[in-house]
Amino acid sequence: MPHGLPAGGDAPRWLAAYVDGLWRMRYAVAVVLVLLSGLAVAGAARLMLASNYEIYFDRANPRLEALNALHRTFSRNDNVLFALAPDDRQVFTPRTLAAVGALTRAAWRMPYAVRVDSVVNFQHVSSDEEGVTIRDLVPDSDTVDGDTAAHARGLALAEPALLGRLITPAADVTGVNVRLELTGDTRAAILEVAQAARALGARIESEYPHVRVHITGNAMLNAAFPEASVHDLTHLVPFMYLVIALALWALLRSLAAALAAMLVVAVASLLAMGTAGWLGIAVSSASVTAPTIIATVAIADSVHLLASFLFARAAGATPRAAVTATLAINLQPVAVTSLTTAVGFLSLNFSEAPPFRDLGNITTLGVAAAFVLSVVVLPLLLLAAPPRQGPAPVVRLDALSRILVARQRGTLAVVLVATAAAAAVLPRLELNDAFVEYFDERVRFRRDTDFVMRHLTGIYQVEYAIGAGGPFGVHDPDYLATLDAFASWLEAQPEVVHVAAITEVLKRLNRHLGDGGEALPPSDELAAQYLLIYGMSVPFGLDLNDRVDVSRSASRVTVTLRNVDNETLRAFEASAARWLEANAPAHMHAPPVGAAVMFAYIAERNIRAMLQGIALAIGLISVVLIVVFRNVAVGLLSLLPNLVPAVIAFGIWTLLVGRMGVALAIVSAMSLGVVVDDTVHFTSRFLHARRRLGLGADDAVRHAFATTGTALASTSLVLVLGFAVLSLSAFEVNHGMGQLTALVIVCALAADFMMLPGLLAWAARRGWA
């Protein structure tokens, strides 16, 4: 047989018996496969889409616990923010105020809306000889004239509660903020709210053509996650299958072989997703990539088997002899690579982000299913409908192998120098996550949010639940003075766009009800009266219940920030903590909470957690390689080409991109199990040549290239294409993961061809292999 393939009669007897028995049981196998596929379809129908950014944080995450505590004390901060931009860049004109008023009134009827704030219904406090009045800033927006609009403009631009939040200093863009109280199935509620918000925005643009409506907010962020999941599932997965099928057809020169491989990976993906459905795993924008990754990594089993089968058929072997010979040479490597791939993906259970744990577990199920299907269903397909005899697969590496064998030391030195250079630049890699940038500009949420951050207000918020020391403590003048000083300090920070605190309302009321100055109420009785008057005077839903807790023992401070990076946000948080420690009593010390705060730390936390997973995966894979190769030195040496690619790839990423977020922190662990495949197959063939064929070191390397080089190059190409498809995702987490993993795989193939032969030959010359 060519390329070291054993003849069917030379294969172990048990293997020949296995092939014969498999053929006799072909109808039973078909029935079982159909039944399992039916169960998988039923399970897949049970899959649910996760629709909350909080799914990226473990329930034990202290910052998530602090955020949930704030929500329980006050209310959730789910909202939709409409930004209205008139084409004449003037908000305070009769026609634009009419649009703002129409949107404000309609927003109250949105699903789950409990409060709507805009410049039109802002509760303006005024006083005259008849007393104090609290009413809408623009009481009748449909009939407002130019003078009234101009007067409203002056009042709005003088209100700290509006400026930088719902109106710009130039009064060219305004906002309508809708606060939500979600109940029941929040997944369905979020999508319902997003649909209603977009419909309302479209209606306003239709009725008032001079206005453009941009929509953002937490609710729209939460809706963007499942929408990204659906888009990737319905667009990328079919495209990926097409790309892989065409690549296999071109590489294997056999349409039947390509279709057989695609059937195996399609069923493996279906079984994995169906099992996830039965287990109640919610599909997120990260774990929705599992079918793509399963198909990409699982195709390797089929390619190795098919390449060997086609080589045997090209040499004239019968289908049964070719299948037997193929299993004889590939069964152990395929089993080992499936195991190491599973170990790599199972290590994702160390991730801080639950969606990546789900991704690892679902993919592991798919890898296990692909192995079983590759050694049970694929041989039956090759026996039942064998691809016709033709030329061997197109990728041949004879010339390359001669060059690499002749220059082992030089190529090994090149890899080592590249590794050292990459390691030197790794400290420059920035750990950064900005949740808005999880979506690229193809996603409307990203475009609208970028507009809002450029023209109106920030989208990143940090919140504090400032304790008052006991019931009704928020009325205490000392507490209010310290709270006001903290708010003033916050407003002075360059990162801050707006600060919302109850002191602003109390000073506004004191200006009209008290001495007419900007001071806070001088006594707790007066502060309590002011809050009572305000609550009784404003329309339903516009009170301060989301600012002050029921027992009046704490108040909420919301800080809106510019588009800051994680390092700046962490520095801001540290500065605020120092201010509170230096200027406020202990009961007023509060941790900052919010999505921005959590995302500022998740990449760092995830990397620390994943280091444990990577260490465990390396240890387990080392043990597997030592046991399989029955040689400690070879097992450890063969591990080196699997560690080097990640270092080189991350070094290149540092130079080209310079930033890494939460998702890219899992690439090392995920790709480790994948890139070991090439090493296992190459080393297995090298040891076979040494132990069974008695070849010298260089001849054994040539034998390994001849027998498995084609499959290694082919599987690597398919892997790169599959992950390249993933890089087309509009969800940056998947986009970056696809790009970096593809880069790691390219580096891994180069390391296996340029580094592994030299290491194995060096070990052989010393009698270690």
Side-chain angles (χ1 to χ4, degrees):
M1 299 290 286
H3 302 292
L5 282 168
D10 297 332
R13 290 184 179 179
W14 69 266
L15 196 55
Y18 169 76
V19 173
D20 290 339
L22 195 61
W23 180 249
R24 288 194 301 270
M25 298 288 290
R26 60 190 182 277
Y27 296 114
V29 171
V31 170
V32 171
L33 184 62
V34 170
L35 289 176
L36 289 177
S37 298
L39 285 173
V41 170
R46 297 165 59 92
L47 288 171
M48 299 178 295
L49 290 175
S51 59
N52 195 313
Y53 68 84
E54 294 177 14
I55 62 170
Y56 280 86
F57 304 92
D58 193 279
R59 291 300 168 190
N61 186 303
R63 297 182 184 277
L64 179 59
E65 291 178 343
L67 177 63
N68 289 333
L70 181 138
H71 289 165
R72 288 191 297 271
T73 302
F74 301 99
S75 63
R76 289 189 60 87
N77 60 348
D78 295 307
N79 76 304
V80 174
L81 177 62
F82 297 89
L84 289 82
D87 55 14
D88 61 359
R89 302 174 64 86
Q90 294 295 322
V91 168
F92 291 94
T93 63
R95 61 174 184 165
T96 298
L97 288 177
V100 176
L103 178 54
T104 301
R105 292 189 297 272
W108 280 105
R109 297 190 292 274
M110 282 180 55
Y112 311 101
V114 294
R115 176 171 181 146
V116 180
D117 290 293
S118 70
V119 293
V120 167
N121 74 345
F122 175 74
Q123 297 305 290
H124 175 61
V125 181
S126 60
S127 60
D128 53 29
E129 59 276 4
E130 296 182 2
V132 174
T133 302
I134 302 177
R135 64 179 180 85
D136 291 351
L137 183 62
V138 184
D140 190 354
S141 57
D142 287 337
T143 60
V144 66
D145 56 26
D147 291 340
T148 304
H151 179 65
R153 183 182 192 277
L155 295 175
L157 295 182
E159 286 290 354
L162 292 176
L163 200 59
R165 176 172 170 260
L166 296 178
I167 192 66
T168 60
D172 57 349
V173 178
T174 189
V176 176
N177 188 63
V178 185
R179 189 165 67 82
L180 309 167
E181 189 171 301
L182 302 178
T183 58
D185 183 359
T186 56
R187 283 183 292 265
I190 284 293
L191 296 177
E192 182 183 2
V193 166
Q195 184 178 9
R198 293 179 185 128
L200 177 55
R203 195 189 98 193
I204 294 299
E205 287 185 336
S206 174
E207 295 176 359
Y208 301 91
H210 74 288
V211 170
R212 290 292 170 265
V213 179
H214 305 267
I215 311 173
T216 185
N218 279 350
M220 305 307 293
L221 167 66
N222 287 332
F225 282 103
E227 289 169 352
S229 302
V230 171
H231 181 274
D232 284 358
L233 194 61
T234 56
H235 290 74
L236 293 189
V237 172
F239 182 57
M240 178 272 306
Y241 273 93
L242 176 62
V243 168
I244 291 180
L246 293 175
L248 288 177
W249 188 9
L251 291 169
L252 299 175
R253 293 185 177 180
S254 170
L255 178 60
L259 293 177
M262 293 309 299
L263 177 63
V264 167
V265 297
V267 174
S269 297
L270 176 62
L271 292 175
M273 298 305 290
T275 304
W278 285 114
L279 294 176
I281 298 176
V283 176
S284 67
S285 45
S287 60
V288 77
T289 62
T292 305
I293 296 177
I294 290 169
T296 302
V297 301
I299 201 71
D301 294 345
S302 297
V303 169
H304 282 286
L305 294 168
L306 288 168
S308 296
F309 177 86
L310 293 173
F311 274 127
R313 290 285 286 153
T318 65
R320 185 161 301 189
V323 167
T324 305
T326 294
L327 291 176
I329 194 174
N330 287 298
L331 184 59
Q332 184 192 60
V334 166
V336 173
T337 56
S338 296
L339 177 59
T340 56
T341 300
V343 168
F345 280 99
L346 284 175
S347 69
L348 298 188
N349 280 284
F350 283 84
S351 173
E352 277 280 314
F356 297 123
R357 300 202 289 263
D358 294 338
L359 173 63
N361 293 331
I362 296 173
T363 305
T364 299
L365 291 171
V367 169
F371 168 70
V372 175
L373 293 169
S374 294
V375 299
V376 175
V377 175
L378 186 59
L380 284 176
L381 292 174
L382 296 177
L383 290 172
R388 64 180 180 84
Q389 288 179 259
V394 67
V395 179
R396 297 298 298 271
L397 302 171
D398 298 340
L400 177 62
S401 66
R402 287 194 296 271
I403 295 173
L404 294 176
V405 171
R407 301 178 180 178
Q408 293 174 16
R409 294 183 180 179
T411 56
L412 180 59
V414 169
V415 175
L416 293 177
V417 170
T419 304
V425 302
L426 279 180
R428 295 164 51 187
L429 185 62
E430 176 188 355
L431 303 180
N432 207 348
D433 257 310
F435 59 80
V436 170
E437 296 177 8
Y438 275 14
F439 309 90
D440 71 16
E441 287 77 7
R442 288 174 289 172
V443 178
R444 180 181 173 180
F445 167 76
R446 170 66 185 276
R447 298 194 304 272
D448 285 355
T449 301
D450 285 346
F451 177 89
V452 169
M453 288 192 294
R454 287 194 306 268
H455 298 283
L456 179 60
T457 187
I459 192 66
Y460 298 101
Q461 289 189 332
V462 176
E463 298 200 282
Y464 296 86
I466 306 295
F472 303 103
V474 297
H475 304 149
D476 180 69
D478 291 336
Y479 170 81
L480 292 173
T482 305
L483 185 67
D484 188 48
F486 182 48
S488 297
W489 180 86
L490 291 169
E491 289 172 344
Q493 305 312 302
E495 306 90 355
V496 174
V497 176
H498 185 267
V499 178
I502 62 167
T503 51
E504 185 278 325
V505 175
L506 288 170
K507 287 194 291 186
R508 186 154 36 105
L509 290 168
N510 192 56
R511 184 165 64 243
H512 296 280
L513 296 174
D515 58 10
E518 295 294 330
L520 289 162
S523 67
D524 52 358
E525 292 87 356
L526 197 55
Q529 290 178 18
Y530 285 172
L531 292 177
L532 178 62
I533 291 171
Y534 187 85
M536 294 176 62
S537 303
V538 298
F540 174 78
L542 297 181
D543 52 31
L544 297 175
N545 289 340
D546 65 327
R547 296 280 109 197
V548 183
D549 73 334
V550 175
S551 65
R552 298 293 193 264
S553 61
S555 69
R556 182 181 199 167
V557 175
T558 302
V559 187
T560 303
L561 303 173
R562 304 183 193 282
N563 188 12
V564 296
D565 59 27
N566 287 347
E567 183 178 352
T568 303
L569 182 57
R570 289 193 291 264
F572 167 80
E573 175 194 351
S575 297
R578 288 193 297 269
W579 191 97
L580 287 172
E581 290 175 4
N583 299 281
H587 62 261
M588 295 186 70
H589 298 174
V593 300
V597 176
M598 294 191 294
F599 278 106
Y601 289 90
I602 188 172
E604 180 181 332
R605 287 176 60 93
N606 202 45
I607 286 177
R608 286 201 303 266
M610 284 309 305
L611 286 175
Q612 303 175 45
I614 292 171
L616 179 60
I618 291 173
L620 291 176
I621 291 174
S622 300
V623 171
V624 170
L625 296 180
I626 290 171
V627 171
V628 169
F629 297 145
R630 291 175 292 158
N631 188 305
V632 175
V634 171
L636 295 178
L637 282 175
S638 63
L639 190 63
L640 288 177
N642 304 306
L643 302 178
V644 163
V647 176
I648 296 176
F650 276 85
I652 295 172
W653 187 269
T654 301
L655 294 175
L656 297 179
V657 180
R659 191 176 82 170
M660 182 173 69
V662 58
L664 303 191
I666 71 168
V667 169
S668 292
M670 185 178 75
S671 61
L672 178 63
V674 176
V675 300
V676 169
D677 292 11
D678 292 351
T679 302
V680 169
H681 282 280
F682 193 95
T683 305
S684 294
R685 299 317 304 151
F686 175 86
L687 293 177
H688 174 80
R690 292 283 293 161
R691 295 169 180 172
R692 299 287 181 87
L693 305 180
L695 299 181
D698 290 348
D699 287 337
V701 169
R702 294 187 186 94
H703 174 83
F705 266 112
T707 55
T708 196
T710 293
L712 296 186
S714 300
T715 54
S716 296
L717 177 59
V718 172
L719 286 168
V720 169
L721 290 175
F723 282 101
V725 171
L726 188 59
S727 72
L728 299 177
S729 172
F731 187 56
E732 192 276 337
V733 173
N734 298 335
H735 168 81
M737 184 168 61
Q739 286 186 326
L740 184 53
T741 306
L743 181 58
V744 172
I745 293 169
V746 170
C747 294
L749 182 65
D752 279 319
F753 281 178
M754 299 176 66
M755 186 180 190
L756 186 58
L759 291 175
L760 292 176
W762 179 75
R765 294 189 186 99
R766 283 158 180 76
W768 297 348

